Amino acid sequence: MSATLYRHGVVHSPADPFAEAVLVEDGVIAWMGSDDTADGLVAGVDEVVELDGALVAPAFVDAHVHLLETGLAAAGLDLSAAGGVRSLPAALDAVARVAAERAAGDRRVVLGTGWDDGAWPERRPPTRDELDVAGQGLPVYLARVDVHSAIVSSALADLAGLRGLPGWSEDGRVTGAAHHAARAVARAVDAGERTTLYRDVLARAAAAGIVAVHEQSAPHVDTRDGLRELMAMTADPVSGLPLVVGYRAEPCVTVDDARALLADLPGLTGIGGDLNVDGSLGSRTAALRHPYADAPTSGALQLTAEQIANHVTAVTRAGSHAAFHVIGDRALDELLLGLRTAADVEGTAAIAAAGHRIEHAEMVDAHSLAQIVLLGLRLSVQPAFDAAWGGPDGMYAARLGPGRAAALNPLADLAAAGVPLALGSDAPVTPLDPWAGVRAAAGHHEPDQRISVRAAFRAATRGGWRLAGLDHAGIGELRVGAPAHLAVWRAEHLVVQASRTSSWSADARAGSPLLPDLGPDQPSPQCLRTVRAGVVLHDALG
């Protein structure tokens, strides 16, 4: 038996909003209350943590990540503005530096991620010819920030056999099948390196206060073996790693297909995730009802309603739940048509009870929202997308025009309709930074679509457990008897958000748990400790 007492702090718990201390015994919250009472418990515990005013809160769950690609991105070239690359020449210079440092005969792929042509003065990506020169003939793969398209060199195109595949362009831009083939070559690593990348990313997640992640695995992202390894290596809290909640995006036609996949991947939570109905807005591959404002295309569907209906029916009958990547409004129309068709076969109640998921769902109008509610769908959303690309001068406005762009990511509408929400990063698309997601949800570019910090925090914690169907025994909250999944935070100011707007109070007498002040001028909270079922995953307490 082990026991840790956290005292002289602030405990975020709706069950006891005035608690100053919390006792964890054998991985479970055993007690919460005042410091006066806590002082009498000191002699009976193994560890006493003096919080000195720090906040103890439920740990975060990132509801949409790609661990291998996040690890590869960290190990490769960072072509984002945060990485110091703010122009096309700077990107080419970065590739040239890597090529110049390579030893003779080293033909490993030069891997870069994060470039955003919309933010560059040149307003265009590199070309294949430019990569051939900068890369000195090496295979080069540079993924756009949304990871739904890339630019490749001639050597990479030859290595992956890209010419002639759907999505290949002579200027080196790849989407669709050509991009999937390019990614397969670019992410080819041996088993030992893959394990190291997994562990490194999960350690970074733990340092960000994350106790669980929803891994959205797919054939074009990682292997079944990789997902099997991730689920096995994190199944027990004593691993010292965040839990990997596994999703695998392989389409099923029959219930036997779904059952076979579940049998091959023990512990699999859902069948889907990055099961793509369409692509992305940045790469202009998201399927739209009307053409893009800056190009003569409406994107493309990757799944039909018939395929969607077959998959949903198969997964529902297998006792699991499906999840689909959907960005554009035409893609959402197709998804909802497929779900309604499945409901005609299985019954609306059965479909709603299964808890099927939509990942992203950026373009949701009133008609679509009504169907989402009727079908009992759950949404994994990424508020950081709005922070990165929303607003009148952002990528969304450039791609769609200001009118359509203003309607993207309608978080408040979804929350008001009672749609279960969870927050994710889609790492490596945006960083593993859950407070940034909460801040983005509360500071949405469209004021009418902002949700309270408290609502966003709940979606970023308990919401992730709920979408995975794991929200039992109080998991995701700090209450007696619940698993001790918690994080300790140092924040400049702790406040209560009094309404959906930015009205704040530091007075806890109203009985609302305190949270960090995430105002625009406030620094992000610092994670001091992350705990999963009583096991310390990250410790910076000194």
Side-chain angles (χ1 to χ4, degrees):
M1 293 184 62
S2 63
T4 299
L5 177 66
Y6 297 85
R7 65 174 180 172
H8 302 149
V10 177
V11 179
H12 181 94
S13 172
D16 187 351
F18 307 107
E20 302 164 303
V22 59
L23 175 64
V24 176
E25 288 185 343
D26 295 330
V28 174
I29 304 292
W31 170 88
M32 292 185 300
S34 69
D35 282 329
D36 289 343
T37 305
D39 292 344
L41 302 175
V42 171
V45 302
D46 301 290
E47 180 188 21
V48 177
V49 176
E50 299 291 352
L51 295 169
D52 190 27
L55 173 70
V56 181
F60 287 110
V61 177
D62 191 316
H64 192 116
V65 303
H66 305 285
L67 292 172
L68 178 59
E69 293 211 337
T70 302
L72 289 168
L77 283 171
D78 182 356
L79 301 178
S80 69
V85 176
R86 296 180 172 84
S87 68
L88 173 58
L92 293 171
D93 287 346
V95 172
R97 284 194 297 272
V98 172
E101 293 168 359
R102 286 286 178 88
D106 185 349
R107 301 289 297 175
R108 288 173 299 156
V109 175
V110 178
L111 176 66
T113 59
W115 59 268
D116 185 354
D117 52 324
W120 290 348
E122 299 80 12
R123 296 283 175 173
R124 69 169 181 87
T127 65
R128 177 166 59 92
D129 290 343
E130 289 170 332
L131 286 192
D132 289 347
V133 173
Q136 299 181 22
L138 290 173
V140 181
Y141 168 91
L142 304 184
R144 196 181 185 281
V145 63
D146 53 40
V147 202
H148 278 270
S149 64
I151 303 297
V152 301
S153 68
S154 297
L156 193 288
D158 293 338
L159 192 62
L162 303 184
R163 292 176 174 84
L165 290 179
W168 163 258
S169 176
E170 284 297 324
D171 61 5
R173 182 173 184 265
V174 288
T175 61
H179 185 217
H180 291 173
R183 288 169 87 174
V185 169
R187 62 170 169 77
V189 293
D190 63 40
E193 184 180 359
R194 184 175 67 184
T195 300
T196 298
L197 291 171
Y198 288 157
R199 288 187 172 275
D200 288 348
V201 176
L202 288 168
R204 284 198 285 126
I210 297 169
V211 76
V213 298
H214 295 193
E215 165 67 0
Q216 307 295 340
S217 179
H220 59 277
V221 175
D222 201 349
T223 62
R224 281 195 191 184
D225 285 343
L227 180 58
R228 192 180 294 111
E229 177 184 356
L230 279 167
M231 292 190 295
M233 72 192 287
T234 66
D236 194 317
V238 298
S239 66
L241 297 169
L243 174 69
V244 171
V245 178
Y247 285 81
R248 182 67 177 176
E250 295 188 29
C252 299
V253 178
T254 69
V255 66
D256 289 340
D257 295 337
R259 287 171 178 159
L261 186 58
L262 292 168
D264 190 52
L265 293 168
L268 189 68
T269 295
I271 303 179
D274 251 24
L275 194 56
N276 292 346
V277 182
D278 66 345
S280 74
L281 292 168
S283 293
R284 300 186 188 87
T285 52
L288 306 180
R289 294 172 184 163
H290 306 289
Y292 284 84
D294 60 352
T297 179
S298 298
L301 291 170
Q302 297 182 32
L303 290 175
T304 66
E306 180 180 4
Q307 292 171 312
I308 292 164
N310 288 338
H311 182 80
V312 170
T313 299
V315 171
T316 302
R317 290 182 179 180
S320 187
H321 62 269
F324 296 90
H325 164 111
V326 176
I327 297 288
D329 46 10
R330 182 159 61 104
L332 184 56
D333 291 343
E334 196 76 9
L335 174 68
L336 293 172
L337 177 58
L339 281 157
R340 292 197 308 272
T341 303
D344 289 341
V345 176
E346 300 298 305
T348 300
I351 297 300
H356 300 300
R357 291 174 52 157
I358 309 178
E359 310 298 313
H360 315 309
E362 295 198 75
M363 302 179 76
V364 181
D365 60 16
H367 179 65
S368 297
L369 178 55
Q371 295 179 77
I372 286 170
V373 172
L374 177 66
L375 293 164
L377 301 178
R378 304 173 177 193
L379 267 61
S380 166
V381 297
Q382 292 69 42
F385 287 7
D386 176 74
W389 303 306
D393 300 319
M395 180 271 288
Y396 290 150
R399 291 290 185 269
L400 301 176
R404 280 189 293 175
L408 290 184
N409 300 296
L411 302 181
D413 290 349
L414 294 167
V419 176
L421 298 177
L423 304 192
S425 63
D426 199 11
V429 177
T430 67
L432 292 163
D433 186 351
W435 283 118
V438 172
R439 193 191 298 263
H444 196 292
H445 278 94
E446 292 299 318
D448 287 347
Q449 294 304 332
R450 293 172 182 167
I451 60 176
S452 70
V453 168
R454 186 178 179 186
F457 180 77
R458 187 170 178 83
T461 52
R462 188 167 176 78
W465 299 112
R466 183 180 185 186
L467 258 66
L470 301 174
D471 56 334
H472 49 78
I475 193 168
E477 294 185 340
L478 300 188
R479 59 175 65 244
V480 173
H485 301 321
L486 59 87
V488 180
W489 301 95
R490 178 72 63 204
E492 295 257 336
H493 303 289
L494 297 176
V495 293
V496 172
Q497 190 170 31
S499 69
R500 214 189 79 183
T501 62
S502 55
S503 176
W504 297 88
S505 171
D507 185 355
R509 289 176 297 176
S512 295
L514 296 172
L515 281 169
D517 184 350
L518 297 181
D521 299 325
Q522 296 298 319
S524 292
Q526 176 190 0
C527 186
L528 303 179
R529 178 177 280 196
T530 305
V531 177
R532 174 187 167 196
V535 176
V536 176
L537 309 185
H538 165 76
D539 200 355
L541 282 168

